[in-house]
Amino acid sequence: PAPSPMAAELDAVLGGGGWDVGPSFEGPPTPPGPVRLGRNACYVVLAVLFDEEDRVLMVQEAKPECRGTWYLPAGRMEPGEGIAAAVRREVKEETGLECEALTLLALEERGPAWIRFAFLARPAGGTLKTLEEADAESLQAAWWAGDPRALPLRALDILPLLDLAARYRRSPPHPPTLPQELPCALLCLRILVAFANEAGDLWVLLATGGTPHLPVVACGTSPAELRGGLRLPVLRLLRDCLPPDPRPGPLGLLGLQHRAGGPGGADGICFNVLLSIPPGSPRAAPPEPGSPAFRWWRVEEENVRGRILQRLRTTVPIRS
């Protein structure tokens, strides 16, 4: 059976919860300074809201470069602001409505330089902004019943998000996923690397430093790392510990933690991500780690095993 700290950590991560990040990281050296919005990171929030008649909340843009076009309520997070609070503020400023975030639908990213959190939210009061109330935030907001493509859209990148939202409302593919209030100085990823063979055996990769734990890697802030996306530090870690070069499946998000005004005013986030290493043959065992800093832990407990296998099919998509 799992040592209790490991079982507790897996339980928290699989349930969308958080876990103290701690001072040490696996992989390359930790970046020297904290992540700060407006300095070395940009976070954007976007919200999809429907009313009782299944109409979607759309905003008419006021910005000179896209004035008059339509889009979903969206905007940049401000330093020292929580992610859910940013969703509420943007929706209120652009549409006049109060809202409550229900779940993250997708995480869209270009590395630390630009991360967008797309949420499904529900209206919770307020009155819809009219043309008479137009300001620098938006011209007006409207509930739209038809195909959004009939509107002059600011960009088509919202169409896949509307599809995800409609699918989630019909049959949620993953549990509600909301940011956990836990501080983090850096942008980092806690990685659940799973290896499952066709015989039904399952292993999870652990870092062995101190108490065995899920590996945590930090995102660098050099120009190349900013462009490289969240997958870069994960692939780098796997290359270092799993020869020959594994070809992991896509990254999926299990949860995230962020606290506004974290350590030293940092705006760091820890993403809990899940990925699988495909087996080479039906009864294959996982590739031997090339470093004593890692080992595979065979998951014997049926409940934990079932949850990991289920979450391999149902995570919040990460779009790079």
Side-chain angles (χ1 to χ4, degrees):
S4 58
M6 194 59 240
E9 183 174 356
L10 272 173
D11 194 55
V13 167
L14 289 167
W19 190 263
D20 278 337
V21 172
S24 58
F25 295 84
E26 278 70 49
T30 305
V35 169
R36 292 258 164 81
L37 282 178
R39 244 185 255 177
N40 51 12
C42 171
Y43 306 153
V44 177
V45 292
L46 175 147
V48 185
L49 288 90
F50 295 93
D51 67 3
E52 314 79 60
E53 294 161 46
D54 283 346
R55 297 179 300 179
V56 68
L57 184 61
M58 300 291 291
V59 171
Q60 194 172 32
E61 296 283 3
K63 296 184 209 70
E65 66 272 18
C66 53
R67 190 177 176 87
T69 60
W70 291 81
Y71 205 64
L72 292 170
R76 289 185 178 206
M77 261 174 71
E78 294 170 358
E81 184 174 44
I83 299 172
V87 174
R88 290 194 296 272
R89 175 184 57 76
E90 283 293 344
V91 170
K92 177 74 174 168
E93 286 175 357
E94 295 192 351
T95 74
L97 300 185
E98 308 288 343
C99 80
E100 179 198 353
L102 298 173
T103 184
L104 198 59
L105 288 170
L107 182 72
E108 301 174 303
E109 59 96 10
R110 296 173 206 150
W114 188 88
I115 296 175
R116 184 162 75 172
F117 305 91
F119 283 90
L120 178 65
R122 66 173 189 85
T127 47
L128 211 56
K129 186 190 251 188
T130 62
L131 273 172
E132 289 73 55
E133 299 161 296
D135 57 19
E137 296 294 336
S138 65
L139 299 179
Q140 62 175 326
W143 291 107
W144 181 256
D147 185 338
R149 284 170 293 200
L151 290 167
L153 295 177
R154 183 183 113 193
L156 299 177
D157 63 345
I158 60 171
L159 297 175
L161 299 174
L162 289 168
D163 287 344
L164 279 177
R167 271 216 304 277
Y168 194 94
R169 293 174 79 224
R170 280 197 306 273
S171 170
H174 54 79
T177 305
L178 291 168
Q180 303 297 304
E181 285 259 333
L182 279 166
C184 189
L186 299 166
L187 203 60
C188 56
L189 297 102
R190 181 185 285 113
I191 316 166
L192 177 46
V193 182
F195 182 97
N197 63 21
E198 287 170 30
D201 306 312
L202 176 71
W203 290 263
V204 167
L205 188 70
L206 300 185
T208 55
T211 309
H213 58 278
L214 295 177
V216 180
V217 293
C219 294
T221 51
S222 73
E225 288 166 315
L226 287 173
R227 287 192 303 274
L230 298 181
R231 203 171 163 83
L232 183 69
V234 176
L235 291 175
R236 191 185 283 152
L237 175 92
L238 293 179
R239 270 200 303 272
D240 289 349
C241 76
L242 294 182
D245 197 7
R247 292 208 167 27
L251 278 187
L253 184 74
L254 293 169
L256 65 158
Q257 61 193 63
H258 169 266
R259 181 182 289 161
D267 299 294
I269 298 177
C270 181
F271 297 103
N272 295 334
V273 298
L274 175 65
L275 79 163
S276 61
I277 306 283
S281 63
R283 290 205 162 268
E288 199 56 45
S291 157
F294 300 94
R295 69 176 174 85
W296 288 101
W297 172 61
R298 188 166 178 167
V299 183
E300 305 280 4
E301 196 190 305
E302 211 43 57
N303 172 37
V304 179
R305 203 172 132 272
R307 286 175 74 197
I308 293 173
L309 292 172
Q310 183 200 7
R311 292 310 309 266
L312 280 169
R313 299 191 298 273
T314 61
T315 53
V316 176
I318 297 177
R319 297 184 163 167
S320 303

